[in-house]
Amino acid sequence: MTRPPLPYSPDVEQPSEGEQKTIDGIIQGMTQQSQTVEKREHHAVRASHAKSTALAVGTLEIPQGLPPELAQGLFARPGTYPVAVRFAQGPGEHLGDRVSTHRGMSIKIFDVPGEKLPGHATDTQDFVLASGTTFPSGTAEGFLRDGTVIGKAAGLPEGAKSAVASLARNLNRVLHAFGTESPKADFFGHPFSHPLAEPYYSQAPIRFGDHVAKLGAFPVSQAQEALKDWRLDPKDDEDGFRHAAVDHFSANEVVFELKAQLWRDADSQPIEDASVEWSEETSPFVTVATIRLPAQDAYSTARQRYFDEEMTFRPAHSLAAHRPLGSVMRARLQVYQALSEFRHRENGIPEQNPAAIDAIPA
């Protein structure tokens, strides 16, 4: 029998002593990483998920009849909302696809009324998702530790980064043979699979109205199912993930079910450590909405500039009812803003958090 969901209260979070110093260190380290990349690319790019693969618009549909524990926050009432979705590769620099690491799926939902987090005055809700059910660094302290390593590696040649990704992929291939895997290995060496054929996760928890949850977006269309065995040969195309995703969008609707995994066990499902996977036996993912992205040109020149250079996606762009929770999320609330401000300032391009889907170019 499934346990009832635990209630949200402010004291579900327990910040560690000195956490702000840690967050300041993350911002400093990732800014230095961005400066290194900027010198090489002669342009400031996102400190993570810099290389986009598909840029789409569509709708998010919330069904009627959700049970009370799921009819929370944004999902409290049935309806259809416009959305913009950015798919991207993980590194905070533009690398060839042989460096296949973790991936991102950032979702901006428009026309969302309700109380927002401080500093967010637009009627939008962002969910920033990534491949992998957990965030391997776990906490802000781990984020600083691992981010320092990544930052030092930013100046290495691309061939060295490709070798690390290959070793990580091979490690997970061996682990899979024994029925296990390493989230950190997947973070640094993701399979050459199709970006539209795999799930994406919040990895860390958010407030879910009266409760707490992690989110996941799962591909469900038959056309996406047909892509599950697709593999890129990066020797043939160093931008193959983008070309494959854009080609698929040119002729197919892309559909993801957005699912919530409610917090049901405080002992086995910690709020403060995002490296711990929440068991689906204890708390299964349950559908709360469907994201429909119709066939479209998912990489026009105007759209690429708007998504990649101007528009921002942040966990802080949120309803109060979906406040990000835990150590990693508290860090992200500050880190994303600081790095976005650096990037836009360096490039001389004002950042945009559009209030309506009409702002996005065709």
Side-chain angles (χ1 to χ4, degrees):
M1 182 177 178
T2 303
R3 301 184 185 189
L6 298 173
Y8 166 79
S9 66
D11 61 6
V12 303
E13 292 189 280
Q14 299 293 326
S16 63
E17 186 176 351
E19 183 174 271
Q20 187 58 52
K21 183 178 179 181
T22 300
I23 294 172
D24 292 342
I26 296 170
I27 292 172
Q28 179 181 8
M30 294 191 73
T31 301
Q32 291 172 345
Q33 171 193 329
S34 294
Q35 291 170 333
T36 298
V37 174
E38 182 184 8
K39 289 179 181 178
R40 183 171 62 248
E41 299 196 15
H42 307 292
H43 191 73
V45 300
R46 280 177 165 84
S48 61
H49 302 122
K51 184 179 180 180
S52 57
T53 53
L55 311 167
V57 295
T59 59
L60 178 136
E61 303 168 1
I62 301 171
Q64 294 184 352
L66 287 178
E69 63 185 23
L70 296 175
Q72 300 286 329
L74 170 67
F75 310 98
R77 292 170 296 279
T80 300
Y81 298 85
V83 296
V85 181
R86 182 180 187 267
F87 298 89
Q89 296 301 106
E93 53 188 321
H94 291 103
L95 300 171
D97 286 351
R98 58 186 171 142
V99 188
S100 177
T101 70
H102 62 292
R103 299 168 175 178
M105 178 184 181
S106 297
I107 305 165
K108 187 178 292 291
I109 307 165
F110 296 90
D111 303 337
V112 178
E115 180 188 357
K116 308 298 192 299
L117 293 185
H120 180 47
T122 305
D123 280 345
T124 56
Q125 169 70 51
D126 290 4
F127 293 126
V128 180
L129 313 181
S131 55
T133 56
T134 62
F135 186 71
S137 300
T139 63
E141 290 81 2
F143 194 168
L144 175 59
R145 179 194 64 237
D146 293 344
T148 300
V149 173
I150 294 171
K152 290 179 178 179
L156 294 175
E158 185 169 328
K161 296 165 187 172
S162 176
V164 170
S166 179
L167 286 171
R169 272 192 305 277
N170 289 334
L171 171 59
N172 248 357
R173 196 174 293 120
V174 172
L175 292 174
H176 284 164
F178 291 92
T180 186
E181 65 180 356
S182 165
K184 186 163 288 189
D186 187 76
F187 184 91
F188 288 105
H190 197 71
F192 290 116
S193 52
H194 200 289
L196 303 178
E198 62 182 355
Y200 295 84
Y201 302 89
S202 66
Q203 300 183 327
I206 64 169
R207 180 179 176 182
F208 200 77
D210 294 336
H211 306 295
V212 174
K214 291 186 179 183
L215 299 181
F218 298 81
V220 294
S221 75
Q222 290 184 351
Q224 288 163 274
E225 174 67 19
L227 299 173
K228 67 178 183 178
D229 295 325
W230 180 94
R231 293 295 182 271
L232 172 70
D233 183 351
K235 296 177 182 177
D236 290 340
D237 188 352
E238 284 284 315
D239 296 315
F241 293 130
R242 177 187 302 158
H243 294 149
V246 172
D247 181 66
H248 187 81
F249 263 114
S250 69
N252 298 278
E253 180 186 43
V254 170
V255 185
F256 284 84
E257 288 186 351
L258 188 65
K259 300 189 178 189
Q261 184 185 33
L262 292 173
W263 183 49
R264 299 180 187 274
D265 185 342
D267 293 327
S268 66
Q269 299 175 330
I271 300 296
E272 294 295 340
D273 187 351
S275 69
V276 177
E277 185 165 2
W278 290 10
S279 168
E280 291 192 52
E281 291 185 4
T282 301
S283 184
F285 279 97
V286 183
T287 300
V288 293
T290 301
I291 298 169
R292 297 189 182 277
L293 307 172
Q296 59 193 281
D297 179 357
Y299 213 80
S300 71
T301 300
R303 186 175 287 184
Q304 185 271 328
R305 174 179 169 81
Y306 191 78
F307 270 78
D308 289 355
E309 300 293 340
E310 300 181 33
M311 187 159 62
T312 58
F313 294 88
R314 292 182 197 159
H317 294 161
S318 176
L319 290 168
H322 295 308
R323 180 183 187 87
L325 301 175
S327 180
V328 166
M329 285 296 208
R330 288 193 299 275
R332 284 174 171 167
L333 289 173
Q334 298 183 48
V335 171
Y336 274 60
Q337 178 174 349
L339 294 174
S340 177
E341 289 174 352
F342 167 83
R343 175 168 59 93
H344 287 94
R345 182 174 62 250
E346 290 295 298
N347 294 335
I349 299 173
E351 66 178 41
Q352 300 291 333
N353 180 28
I357 194 76
D358 294 345
I360 297 177

